[in-house]
Amino acid sequence: MSEKRISRKELARRNRKQNTKRKNLRGLMIVVITAVMLYFTGVYGASLAYFGDFISSGMAVLQIGGGFPVEGDFSNVLQADGMGTSMAVLDRDNLSVYSPTAKNIFTYSHSLHKPAMDTASQRAVLYDQEGTDLKVVNGHNILFQQEMENPIIHAEISDSNRIAVTTRSASYNGEVTVFNYNMKQRFVWYCATGFPIYTTISDSGKTMAVNTVRTDEGILTSEIYIIDVTSGGELYSIIGQNYPLHMEFLSDSRLLIAYTNRVVLWDVENNVQLAAYSMGSDNLSAVCCKGAYIAVAHGGFSRQQSSTLTLLSNEFEEKFTVTIPEKIKDVSISSSRVYALGEENLYEYDYSATLLNTVNTGALSKQLVGYNGTLLISSTSVSKVEKTKSR
């Protein structure tokens, strides 16, 4: 009798445990299904934003299209860039998102007068330059909408989904407002000296750099302010004589600054220049950072003048320098190749400076996009640049 009673108790305990597991599993499935339905119907709050990013990224991969090239009217394209598993293409009327197999998975008619965007690993920030309208999107939805108090100059989003919005100011020369992933304002940095042009923020969202300009005795001078995003405090500033056309954090401690005539690697933690590459009398035309490499294209102003393409390591060790017989308007690094888009041709090099292929793209070519390799956007199509085998 005693052993039977114990067995029954043990059986009852096991049954209760199994029932509890089933209930928990059913509850979890209900929560997930409800969250997915709320996400795709657009009825969800900030608490589901990261979940929505996860669902959107996964769904982008599952959206099967016919593959590249995509034929169409791309003559009004302003910007295009990878957004994790998808690609965002912005033109004067729409923001369109494509899957890896070139299916159009989302199109949003933005109605912005002067549209611009910046992309991160899962989201993009879409804004109206000189307007006040700003939106945060992922591959399938508008996540947040924000109306700024002052006209927007520039906005950037990090891979950690922190957003830095550079605007004009009623009381200062300009200001930068930093938002969290759920568009809650963290702090505002006010610019009292110079005029802020754009801001870049590290992937972790811990550090940002604000590019400002002013004139001293008729000479344009730049000053870059380094800001600790965690505390909102200004750390120091970097003064340069030339205007930086591009800034990019290679890590939290290293900032790439591309001026009109030189590229600089700056130690953010110790406020010291680590390395520099000079272009002499040339002017920067394009720069691309990918993995352990930095591609820099520079030359003259004329379309007929030759250009120079240099590949650097991220420690600024020069890997190669080649001359290209036309002006370069874009560069890309992917799959152990460096691509340089000229006015009429696309040049493909390997890391040993061997010219593997030259393809005539014509005058309708617009830009290169680093997405699942390298894509070429022209006025009539988006096509995949096929990698040439080494000789």
Side-chain angles (χ1 to χ4, degrees):
M1 292 290 295
S2 175
E3 289 181 355
K4 289 183 179 179
R5 283 196 296 271
I6 292 173
S7 297
R8 288 172 181 168
K9 289 181 179 178
E10 176 65 21
L11 181 60
R13 187 189 69 82
R14 291 179 180 178
N15 288 337
R16 286 195 299 270
K17 188 175 181 180
Q18 289 179 352
N19 288 333
T20 301
K21 285 183 177 179
R22 291 191 186 101
K23 289 180 180 178
N24 291 339
L25 181 59
R26 284 198 297 270
L28 178 61
M29 290 178 64
I30 291 172
V31 170
V32 171
I33 292 172
T34 302
V36 171
M37 292 178 66
L38 288 173
Y39 170 73
F40 280 106
T41 56
V43 186
Y44 62 94
S47 60
L48 287 179
Y50 269 131
F51 179 78
D53 292 343
F54 174 76
I55 295 295
S56 179
S57 296
M59 290 299 294
V61 175
L62 297 176
Q63 299 295 303
I64 305 302
F68 294 101
V70 175
E71 306 292 338
D73 183 7
F74 295 95
S75 58
N76 290 323
V77 168
L78 302 172
Q79 292 175 258
D81 209 348
M83 191 172 62
T85 58
S86 57
M87 178 182 67
V89 179
L90 176 67
D91 63 30
R92 301 185 191 281
D93 301 310
N94 302 295
L95 173 67
S96 301
V97 180
Y98 292 87
S99 75
T101 54
K103 181 177 178 59
N104 183 198
I105 58 178
F106 179 56
T107 296
Y108 172 67
S109 180
H110 53 67
S111 302
L112 302 178
H113 294 292
K114 195 175 179 181
M117 73 170 183
D118 184 57
T119 63
S121 60
Q122 292 182 315
R123 297 181 182 180
V125 57
L126 173 67
Y127 60 99
D128 194 356
Q129 287 180 314
E130 300 179 1
T132 58
D133 194 15
L134 180 142
K135 305 176 192 299
V136 180
V137 307
N138 62 16
H140 291 83
N141 277 302
I142 304 295
L143 299 177
F144 303 100
Q145 300 188 59
Q146 181 75 32
E147 191 77 19
M148 303 300 296
E149 292 184 4
N150 300 296
I152 301 170
I153 302 170
H154 177 265
E156 175 148 328
I157 184 169
S158 71
D159 283 347
S160 58
N161 290 328
R162 284 186 175 172
I163 297 175
V165 186
T166 307
T167 66
R168 301 182 187 277
S169 176
S171 305
Y172 293 83
N173 292 346
E175 57 192 58
V176 180
T177 306
V178 177
F179 295 94
N180 276 343
Y181 76 97
N182 58 0
M183 286 305 289
K184 299 296 183 183
Q185 181 177 310
R186 284 186 54 88
F187 68 89
V188 181
W189 177 81
Y190 297 98
C191 182
T193 304
F195 184 78
I197 303 298
Y198 64 90
T199 300
T200 186
I201 189 166
S202 64
D203 286 340
S204 69
K206 295 180 180 179
T207 312
M208 74 177 186
V210 184
N211 173 34
T212 70
V213 295
R214 66 175 186 268
T215 55
D216 290 331
E217 298 180 352
I219 299 175
L220 186 67
T221 302
S222 72
E223 187 167 6
I224 301 168
Y225 290 89
I226 305 298
I227 313 296
D228 183 345
V229 176
T230 304
S231 66
E234 181 181 314
L235 300 177
Y236 58 85
S237 65
I238 306 167
I239 298 178
Q241 292 183 343
N242 296 104
Y243 177 73
L245 298 175
H246 177 80
M247 295 191 302
E248 182 174 345
F249 279 96
L250 304 184
S251 67
D252 279 328
S253 60
R254 295 193 172 193
L255 175 66
L256 179 80
I257 309 172
Y259 294 97
T260 54
N261 62 352
R262 71 188 189 283
V263 180
V264 172
L265 183 62
W266 201 269
D267 184 338
V268 176
E269 290 182 350
N270 300 303
N271 188 19
V272 64
Q273 179 178 299
L274 295 175
Y277 169 75
S278 174
M279 300 169 223
S281 59
D282 281 354
N283 297 278
L284 178 72
S285 54
V287 60
C288 175
C289 305
K290 186 69 176 290
Y293 295 97
I294 303 166
V296 181
H298 51 99
F301 292 104
S302 171
R303 297 179 59 176
Q304 287 73 34
Q305 287 183 306
S306 62
S307 299
T308 299
L309 175 67
T310 299
L311 182 66
L312 306 170
S313 73
N314 54 17
E315 299 291 337
F316 271 51
E317 176 189 358
E318 188 173 324
K319 296 299 182 179
F320 72 71
T321 296
V322 295
T323 300
I324 294 175
E326 60 180 308
K327 182 180 179 181
I328 298 302
K329 53 187 177 184
D330 206 359
V331 291
S332 175
I333 302 173
S334 66
S335 304
S336 304
R337 298 290 185 265
V338 183
Y339 299 97
L341 179 62
E343 295 290 341
E344 297 286 343
N345 300 282
L346 176 66
Y347 303 85
E348 178 185 0
Y349 292 88
D350 63 16
Y351 289 168
S352 66
T354 301
L355 178 60
L356 299 176
N357 198 12
T358 302
V359 178
N360 181 260
T361 57
L364 296 180
S365 63
K366 300 177 73 69
Q367 69 170 93
L368 300 175
V369 182
Y371 174 66
N372 285 350
T374 295
L375 299 178
L376 170 65
I377 295 184
S378 73
S379 294
T380 58
S381 68
V382 179
S383 58
K384 186 174 181 60
V385 178
E386 298 296 340
K387 176 180 175 180
T388 303
K389 291 183 179 180
S390 299
R391 297 168 184 170

